[in-house]
Amino acid sequence: MSSLFDALEQNHFERAKPLAARMRPKSLDEFVGQQHFLGEGKLLRRLLTADRLTSLLFFGPPGCGKTTLAQLLAKASSARFATLSAVTSGVKELRDELRLAQDELAAAGRKTLLFVDEIHRFNRAQQDALLHDVENGIVTLVGATTSNPFFAVNSALVSRSQIFQFEPLSVDDLKSLLRRALTDKERGLGRIPVEVDERALDYLAEIADGDARRSLAALEVAVLSTAARPVELTVELAADSVQRKAMRYDGTGDDHFDCASALIKSIRGSDVDASLYWLARMMAGGEDIRFLCRRLVILASEDVGNADPQALPLAVAAMQACEFVGMPECRLTLSQTVAYLACAPKSNAATLAIDEALKDIQEGTILPVPRHLRDGHYAGAKQLGSGAGYQYAHDAPGGVATQDYLGVDREYYRPTDRGFEAELQARLTGLRKRLKEI
C-alpha cells in the first residue's frame, strides 16, 4: 500500500512540473544541441567514452542544457549526482557535499559528480575549497556559468578544468524539442489533440533566443489555455502565449564587451546594417550612452581618420548632442552617426603613424631638437644659437620652406588611396620631395 501511495505521490509531483522540466532528456541520445563538443568523436564524448571525465566548466546562456547535460553525464558515468547553487550555498554546504563524496567513494567506490550552478558567484574562498578534492579525483566538478570563466572563475580552478562553451539552441533544435513535446504522451502534451501551424512552431523557436525553457513554456501555455479540442496552434495563439521578451544583457560582463567588439568591428568593416543592429542591441540592454559616444569618437580617428575628415567632428557633435538631449531621443543621433561612420571610407594610417613614432621614441635613441627649430624667444637664445637659420614657412614659395624638421629621414604617415586621403597622398608626395631638396 505504501508503494502505491508513493507512486501516486511521485506521479502528482511529475505532473506539477513545468513542461520544460518534464521534457528533460533521459539519455544523451535525447539531448539536443552542442554537437560541436558532444557529437561523435568530439572531446566531451571521447572523455565520457574513455571514462576520463575531469572537472568541467560549462559556459553559456540560459536554457541551452548545462544543468541537463551535467545530470546525463552523471548517469552515463554511473556517478552519484549532487548539486549546489552558488547563489544560496555557502562554504558549510560545500564542505558537507565534499564530505559525502569522500564517504561515497570510500564505502561504495562510486565517484560523485558535483554540479555547481552559477559557480562564478562563489567567492575565492569557496572556489579554493574545491581544489583539493578536484585534484584528488574525489569529485568530478561540473560548474555552470553564464559569465566567461576566464574572467569570473578562480584561475587555479580554470587551469584544472576542461571548458566547454554552450551555444544558444538553433531554431531547428528548438522545433525538434517542440515537436517531441507535442507527441510525447507520458511527459509531454501528446494526450491533447493539437493541429499545428508550422509557422507557429517557427515563431516559438525564433522568439525564444535559443532558450529551450522559454520556448517550451510558451507552448505549454498555448495548449493548456485553450479549451477547444483539437487545439489550433496558430501564430496568433503562439504570440499571445509568449511573455514579453526579457533582454539579457550584462552591462559589465561578456555582453558588454562582446557587443561593443561586434559594433566596432561592424563599423570598421563598413556593414551599416550589422552596425545598427549591435547599436540597438546595446541600447535595448541599457548600455551607458556615454560609453557608446566615447567608442564612436575613438573609432572616428582610429578607423576612419583622414579618409573622411568629417567623421571626427560628427562623432564629437554626436557626443555633445547625446549629453544634451538624453534618451530616448539621442538614439536618433547615435543611429545617424553609426550609419555615417560605417559608410565612410576607412583608413588607419594616422593610427599606425603615431604608434610607429611612439615606438621609435620608446625603443630608439631620442632625437635632439634641431638647433634652428629651438625656441629663440628668450634672453641668451642668440648666444646659444637657438633658432638661428630658421626659415619662416609663410615667406617661402608655396608656403613650404626647404629645411630639415627632424634631423633624420623618417616617414610615419602613409596615407591610403581611399577617400580624402587619396588627395593627401598626392599632396604629401610633393611636400616630401620639396622638403628633401636641402
Side-chain angles (χ1 to χ4, degrees):
M1 187 66 68
S2 176
S3 61
L4 175 60
F5 284 132
D6 289 344
L8 286 172
E9 187 177 85
Q10 181 63 32
N11 185 56
H12 291 156
F13 280 128
E14 284 298 315
R15 298 310 301 173
K17 288 181 179 178
L19 178 62
R22 300 200 308 273
M23 291 304 300
R24 283 187 189 276
K26 299 295 186 183
S27 68
L28 286 172
D29 292 333
E30 289 186 7
F31 190 83
V32 173
Q34 317 311 328
Q35 294 305 298
H36 56 290
F37 60 73
L38 191 59
E40 289 299 327
K42 300 300 182 180
L43 179 57
L44 186 54
R45 180 77 68 165
R46 294 170 71 89
L47 289 172
L48 187 61
T49 301
D51 192 24
R52 284 296 178 268
L53 278 183
T54 57
S55 291
L56 314 172
L57 290 175
F58 288 170
F59 160 44
C64 58
K66 299 187 292 295
T67 303
T68 298
L69 185 54
Q71 293 172 336
L72 295 178
L73 291 177
K75 183 177 180 180
S77 59
S78 301
R80 168 180 169 266
F81 182 74
T83 182
L84 288 173
S85 169
V87 177
T88 58
S89 302
V91 173
K92 179 183 182 301
E93 290 83 2
L94 175 59
R95 294 197 185 281
D96 288 344
E97 283 295 345
L98 294 176
R99 193 175 301 110
L100 287 173
Q102 292 174 346
D103 294 342
E104 183 74 14
L105 186 62
R110 186 166 64 142
K111 284 189 175 181
T112 294
L113 187 148
L114 176 61
F115 177 71
V116 180
D117 196 18
E118 302 290 339
I119 193 170
H120 62 281
R121 293 183 180 272
F122 266 168
N123 60 36
R124 185 178 183 87
Q126 290 168 307
Q127 292 185 30
D128 285 344
L130 287 163
L131 292 176
H132 180 267
D133 289 330
V134 165
E135 284 185 331
N136 291 329
I138 303 299
V139 296
T140 299
L141 172 69
V142 178
T145 176
T146 55
S147 299
N148 190 327
F150 288 101
F151 300 141
V153 179
N154 185 341
S155 59
L157 202 53
V158 169
S159 68
R160 291 163 173 79
S161 305
Q162 295 276 358
I163 297 176
F164 293 97
Q165 183 169 5
F166 283 59
E167 298 295 339
L169 296 181
S170 69
V171 169
D172 287 340
D173 288 338
L174 290 172
K175 287 175 70 175
S176 173
L177 289 175
L178 292 170
R179 289 194 184 95
R180 185 188 299 170
L182 285 168
T183 56
D184 191 318
K185 294 183 178 181
E186 296 300 320
R187 293 180 288 160
L189 303 168
R191 297 183 183 183
I192 302 174
V194 181
E195 292 183 358
V196 180
D197 183 338
E198 191 68 19
R199 293 174 301 169
L201 291 187
D202 289 335
Y203 177 84
L204 289 174
E206 289 169 0
I207 199 67
D209 288 337
D211 187 330
R213 283 192 296 265
R214 178 176 168 80
S215 188
L216 289 169
L219 176 66
E220 185 174 32
V221 170
V223 172
L224 296 185
S225 65
T226 303
R229 295 292 184 267
V231 176
E232 293 187 14
L233 185 58
T234 63
V235 174
E236 292 74 21
L237 176 58
D240 288 340
S241 304
V242 175
Q243 290 184 340
R244 184 180 180 275
K245 182 181 292 189
M247 177 60 64
R248 186 183 70 86
Y249 188 84
D250 179 1
T252 60
D254 295 333
D255 294 323
H256 167 80
F257 293 108
D258 288 345
C259 287
S261 176
L263 173 64
I264 297 306
K265 289 172 181 174
S266 297
I267 297 174
R268 181 184 297 143
S270 300
D271 189 328
V272 65
D273 303 302
S275 301
L276 289 168
Y277 177 87
W278 295 119
L279 172 66
R281 172 86 165 81
M282 297 179 78
M283 293 178 70
E287 183 58 73
D288 180 7
I289 298 300
R290 289 178 175 176
F291 169 80
L292 289 169
C293 290
R294 286 195 300 271
R295 290 305 309 164
L296 295 178
V297 169
I298 293 167
L299 180 141
S301 291
E302 182 179 12
D303 292 304
V304 178
N306 287 326
D308 185 345
Q310 292 303 311
L312 180 57
L314 178 67
V316 171
M319 177 179 64
Q320 293 170 337
C322 288
E323 190 74 27
F324 183 69
V325 303
M327 281 289 284
E329 288 83 359
C330 75
R331 76 189 190 283
L332 310 174
T333 303
L334 288 171
S335 177
Q336 176 190 354
T337 307
V338 165
Y340 186 96
L341 294 175
C343 294
K346 304 298 189 298
S347 170
N348 67 344
T351 301
L352 295 176
I354 190 61
D355 287 347
E356 192 173 328
L358 286 169
K359 183 178 180 182
D360 273 359
I361 291 169
Q362 291 163 357
E363 299 180 3
T365 301
I366 299 297
L367 300 176
V369 177
R371 191 174 297 277
H372 60 284
L373 298 183
R374 296 177 187 176
D375 181 19
H377 297 87
Y378 61 92
K382 186 175 181 179
Q383 182 179 347
L384 295 175
S386 296
Y390 170 67
Q391 300 178 56
Y392 189 52
H394 292 290
D395 293 339
V400 179
T402 303
Q403 64 184 337
D404 188 354
Y405 288 91
L406 191 58
V408 296
D409 187 14
R410 299 276 172 86
E411 291 187 2
Y412 295 115
Y413 184 47
R414 292 177 285 276
T416 68
D417 57 0
R418 297 185 289 275
F420 179 71
E421 216 165 37
E423 297 182 38
L424 290 180
Q425 185 184 69
R427 176 167 169 73
L428 184 56
T429 299
L431 287 171
R432 281 175 173 157
K433 183 179 179 181
R434 177 79 178 271
L435 291 170
K436 290 178 181 178
E437 288 177 353
I438 54 175

